[in-house]
């Protein structure tokens, strides 16, 4: 347990008399990306709330590393349109954050240019990066990301997932991520946990995608998921536009067919 960040054993939760989670086992290690997948109503958000200590479990145990620093990125953020809140003021709601720290965090996620923009006026991709910067300002040992690419187009989603991987590599933090984007997230995670109130299957992405429980849960089309390498000779900005003189980046995507309009050199594995 010395290296473990969180450990759930036999966790069960009942809400209004109904079993929402049953006998869930889960752990996250430093430098590991663990992704929760599952249909709506599978208990993913409930499990995240249990991990964060916002919800008391009815059975089992939730262990956290003592004094564990957690950075949380919510699925949605609603800000009243009449509230005069800039990105900088939003980030400074985190204790001990000044403009220099806020700008550094935004630069790390590729959103430094929005620091003085109204929070309500930035794009979906920019907002997700701001929320990620806010999570990083807590200097987390564990990042908990609930649908981190919500409201972002496909090219922006791929870049955000690559960014999350780079942040993991740079900071050595563990990542617990909730996602519905199977074809993208399967290539950017170390372990997949397929949840449907209980853990249906778990393991490396290639193992899970071929598991009968996974196929039963997501349908026969899930059998078509396959791994191939998609090698970019460019990167995209927040809006999906090609960045000039950007270094090459590699992306592994699971999917039978991925449309491509940028003229990249695709090599299939």
């Amino acid at each position: 347990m010395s290296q473990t960040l969180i450990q759930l054993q036999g966790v069960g939760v009942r809400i209004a008399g109904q079993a929402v989670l049953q006998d869930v086992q889960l752990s996250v290690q430093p430098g590991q990306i663990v992704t929760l997948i599952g249909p709506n109503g599978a208990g993913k958000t409930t499990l995240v709330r249990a991990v964060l200590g916002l919800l008391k479990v009815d059975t089992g145990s939730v262990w956290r590393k003592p004094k564990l620093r957690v950075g949380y990125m919510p699925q949605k953020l609603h800000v009243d349109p009449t509230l005069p809140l800039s990105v900088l003021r939003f980030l400074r709601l985190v204790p001990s954050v000044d403009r220099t720290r806020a700008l550094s965090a935004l630069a790390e996620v590729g959103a430094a240019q929005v620091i003085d923009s109204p929070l309500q006026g930035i794009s979906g991709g920019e907002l997700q990066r701001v929320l990620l910067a806010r999570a990083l300002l807590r200097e987390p040992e564990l990042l908990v990301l609930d649908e981190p690419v919500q409201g972002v187009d496909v090219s922006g989603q791929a870049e955000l997932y690559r960014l999350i991987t780079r942040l993991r590599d740079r900071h050595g933090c563990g990542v617990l991520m909730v996602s519905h984007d199977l074809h993208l997230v399967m290539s950017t995670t170390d372990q997949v946990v397929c949840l449907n109130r209980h853990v249906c299957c778990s393991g490396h992405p290639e193992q899970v995608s071929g598991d009968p429980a996974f196929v039963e849960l997501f349908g026969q089309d899930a059998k078509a998921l396959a791994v191939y390498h998609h090698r970019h000779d460019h990167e995209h900005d927040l809006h999906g536009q090609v960045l000039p003189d950007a270094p090459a980046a590699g992306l592994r995507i699971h999917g039978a067919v991925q449309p491509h309009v940028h003229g990249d050199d695709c090599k299939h594995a």
Side-chain angles (χ1 to χ4, degrees):
M1 296 285 283
S2 60
Q3 294 297 314
T4 302
L5 299 175
I6 56 169
Q7 177 87 49
L8 279 64
Q9 294 183 322
V11 163
V13 175
R14 297 182 70 86
I15 297 177
Q18 298 293 319
V20 178
L21 294 175
Q22 296 177 305
D23 194 28
V24 173
Q25 322 289 332
L26 178 74
S27 67
V28 181
Q29 311 296 322
Q32 183 184 36
I33 298 179
V34 177
T35 301
L36 291 173
I37 62 173
N40 291 333
K44 300 186 296 298
T45 297
T46 299
L47 186 58
V48 166
R49 292 179 65 198
V51 167
L52 295 173
L54 302 175
L55 181 149
K56 184 178 179 180
V57 301
D58 295 303
T59 58
S61 63
V62 178
W63 181 90
R64 302 175 193 84
K65 177 184 173 182
K67 300 181 180 179
L68 177 67
R69 298 189 307 275
V70 178
Y72 173 56
M73 181 177 172
Q75 182 180 142
K76 296 179 181 178
L77 177 69
H78 175 72
V79 180
D80 192 301
T82 64
L83 184 65
L85 186 65
S86 69
V87 169
L88 175 59
R89 290 183 64 187
F90 172 69
L91 293 181
R92 293 193 65 182
L93 294 175
V94 178
S96 303
V97 170
D98 57 14
R99 183 183 180 91
T100 300
R101 284 194 64 201
L103 185 59
S104 176
L106 287 171
E108 189 169 15
V109 301
Q113 73 279 5
V114 303
I115 187 168
D116 294 313
S117 300
L119 191 64
Q120 302 93 327
I122 61 180
S123 71
E126 290 167 339
L127 177 59
Q128 295 308 97
R129 290 180 186 244
V130 168
L131 292 176
L132 188 53
R134 181 178 181 273
L136 289 175
L137 283 168
R138 299 185 178 276
E139 300 180 353
E141 299 167 276
L142 174 68
L143 273 174
V144 179
L145 312 176
D146 192 353
E147 295 285 358
V149 298
Q150 184 88 4
V152 181
D153 64 23
V154 172
S155 61
Q157 290 174 15
E159 174 54 28
L160 273 172
Y161 281 128
R162 288 197 296 270
L163 173 60
I164 290 165
T165 301
R166 292 196 298 270
L167 294 174
R168 182 276 308 268
D169 294 342
R170 187 177 304 149
H171 295 278
C173 57
V175 178
L176 177 62
M177 179 163 54
V178 176
S179 180
H180 284 98
D181 304 289
L182 301 184
H183 66 294
L184 290 175
V185 80
M186 292 291 245
S187 64
T188 56
T189 189
D190 301 307
Q191 183 177 14
V192 175
V193 176
C194 186
L195 191 70
N196 192 18
R197 303 195 178 190
H198 65 283
V199 176
C200 301
C201 53
S202 65
H204 294 295
E206 290 83 356
Q207 295 172 321
V208 170
S209 63
D211 192 290
F214 175 88
V215 175
E216 181 179 357
L217 195 60
F218 291 101
Q220 293 299 314
D221 289 344
K223 291 182 178 180
L225 291 175
V227 183
Y228 71 80
H229 291 274
H230 185 157
R231 304 194 181 280
H232 281 265
D233 58 6
H234 60 262
E235 290 186 355
H236 302 271
D237 65 13
L238 300 175
H239 309 287
Q241 300 300 313
V242 176
L243 292 171
D245 301 321
L251 172 65
R252 292 175 67 216
I253 300 179
H254 289 241
V257 178
Q258 291 292 334
H260 182 62
V261 296
H262 301 297
D264 295 356
D265 176 22
C266 296
K267 297 183 179 180
H268 292 253

